[in-house]
Amino acid sequence: MNSFRRHRRLRQSGAIRSMVRETRLDVTDLIAPLFVVEGENVREEVPSMPGVFHFSVDRLEEELSELVDLGIPAVIVFGVPSKKDAVGSEAYSEQGIVQRAVRRIKELHPDLCVIADTCLCQYTDHGHCGVVKDGVIVNDESLELLARTAVSQARAGADIIAPSNMMDGFVRAIRQGLDEAGFEYTPILSYAVKYASSFYGPFREAAHSAPQFGDRRSYQMDPANAREALREAASDVEEGADLLMVKPGLAYMDIICRVRERFDLPIVAYNVSGEYAMVKAAAERGWIDERGVVMELLTGMKRAGADLILTYHAKDAARWLRGGID
């Protein structure tokens, strides 16, 4: 009689492996990003993100139809304005690019969940996520502008507000602003744990949001810190967040796990632009199996504790899920 366990018994066929699979990735777990720009008839690929495009509002329909046909339930809208100023006024303009895009999306597909990214960096001429005075990003004065932005996005029809600025007290300010404006049932997806990561480069190209001086390390988190992530998330829960995001995902699966163990709110992992670009570059050179790597990465984030995954791979992943992942 052998004295060892035969674990391989449960790996002998695709059917058995599927039956005992502990973590399941589904198309309903995916959130697809949209970059919306000013102008007409614009559909331009982002050079550092193959397969990701800038769309003008009038060209959104073709992309949205594809997403809906694939069964992807939600999009997050990032706006790229043509005008910028010191206080990011286009972020909270009723005719801002995000506001117009949200209205158009809800006209075309009212059941599609529309998430509005709520930040100022794309809209300020200095590229920072708040008001700048004497070279310092001023926290409390920035909160009022963020709340105004959130309210204008909710008024345009956004189903979820997703503040990404990492100012202290931003969830409380936005929750109060939404409630006072009559949007007490609009949820907040907080970028609760957002690191000052080197993986954001392609996004900054796509969103035209690189800071014009310094960096964002005074408000985004030090990548070396884990306990700080729990403090940040705890503050956002106390202030009224409905969902919590960890960003980036790939290098921070331990953080996803810790946040999942500590809090019972839905957890979102952001599979960010640099992670996407690395996979695409390696796949184009034939160095990796793109489908296998992408599905393994997304499944890993789900296994770590993410309920939802915001990913630039959303359309490809949805297609691959239709065919099974074994």
Side-chain angles (χ1 to χ4, degrees):
M1 186 74 168
N2 290 326
S3 59
F4 54 83
R5 292 285 303 273
R6 294 196 179 275
H7 300 285
R8 291 177 56 194
R9 288 173 182 153
L10 298 182
R11 304 172 192 155
Q12 294 308 297
S13 72
I16 293 175
R17 290 190 294 272
S18 178
M19 289 168 62
V20 301
R21 184 163 289 137
E22 299 174 21
T23 303
R24 296 186 182 276
L25 183 67
D26 188 82
V27 67
T28 58
D29 301 329
L30 305 176
I31 301 169
L34 288 175
F35 290 101
V36 187
V37 300
E38 301 283 2
E40 295 181 355
N41 197 31
V42 178
R43 183 183 183 273
E44 296 176 347
E45 191 170 42
V46 179
S48 58
M49 301 174 71
V52 175
F53 294 82
H54 286 129
F55 292 96
S56 53
V57 173
D58 61 307
R59 291 291 299 271
L60 282 173
E61 184 170 1
E62 57 195 285
E63 180 75 358
L64 294 169
S65 295
E66 185 176 7
L67 292 169
V68 170
D69 288 346
L70 287 168
I72 294 170
V75 295
I76 184 166
V77 181
F78 298 103
V80 185
S82 58
K83 296 185 295 183
K84 303 188 180 196
D85 57 33
V87 293
S89 59
E90 284 294 299
Y92 43 87
S93 167
E94 296 300 324
Q95 295 302 316
I97 185 63
V98 166
Q99 289 78 359
R100 285 185 282 122
V102 169
R103 287 194 288 268
R104 181 58 175 158
I105 294 168
K106 298 307 283 188
E107 286 174 5
L108 294 168
H109 296 282
D111 294 331
L112 185 65
C113 180
V114 179
I115 306 168
D117 177 74
T118 306
C119 199
L120 299 177
C121 59
Q122 298 104 296
Y123 304 90
T124 56
D125 52 17
H126 47 72
H128 282 284
C129 303
V131 176
V132 174
K133 289 189 174 180
D134 299 322
V136 175
I137 295 84
V138 182
N139 191 93
D140 294 9
E141 291 183 31
S142 302
L143 298 180
E144 179 185 353
L145 301 184
L146 293 165
R148 288 178 64 183
T149 300
V151 170
S152 71
Q153 292 169 338
R155 190 175 292 121
D159 298 292
I160 297 175
I161 298 300
S164 59
N165 55 89
M166 290 295 286
M167 296 293 110
D168 291 333
F170 70 97
V171 173
R172 176 167 292 157
I174 289 172
R175 183 71 274 159
Q176 182 177 346
L178 289 171
D179 291 352
E180 290 176 353
F183 297 106
E184 60 269 22
Y185 288 107
T186 300
I188 295 175
L189 162 55
S190 170
Y191 284 64
V193 182
K194 182 178 179 180
Y195 285 92
S197 172
S198 297
F199 284 101
Y200 300 154
F203 175 92
R204 290 176 181 174
E205 177 190 5
H208 302 171
S209 64
Q212 299 304 300
F213 69 90
D215 55 40
R216 295 177 178 146
R217 294 181 183 274
S218 70
Y219 45 103
Q220 295 179 0
M221 286 178 48
D222 185 337
N225 293 354
R227 295 190 300 273
E228 183 184 11
L230 299 181
R231 296 196 299 272
E232 287 278 1
S235 292
D236 289 359
V237 172
E238 180 183 349
E239 293 175 16
D242 300 283
L243 307 94
L244 302 173
M245 183 184 290
V246 176
K247 178 184 180 183
L250 177 58
Y252 299 88
M253 289 198 195
D254 62 315
I255 305 302
I256 296 171
C257 185
R258 290 190 189 205
V259 173
R260 168 75 290 152
E261 290 174 348
R262 178 77 172 271
F263 304 101
D264 62 1
L265 295 181
I267 306 299
V268 182
Y270 194 153
N271 177 210
V272 299
S273 61
E275 298 166 355
Y276 174 86
M278 290 192 305
V279 170
K280 282 293 185 181
E284 286 179 355
R285 288 160 175 77
W287 294 343
I288 61 170
D289 168 16
E290 182 178 0
R291 170 176 170 164
V293 167
V294 170
M295 300 309 283
E296 186 173 342
L297 289 176
L298 299 182
T299 300
M301 293 175 196
K302 190 84 186 290
R303 187 187 64 245
D307 299 289
L308 301 167
I309 303 172
L310 197 172
T311 177
Y312 301 94
H313 295 289
K315 289 196 296 184
D316 285 336
R319 294 186 190 100
W320 294 329
L321 283 166
R322 282 182 170 178
I325 64 173
D326 192 75

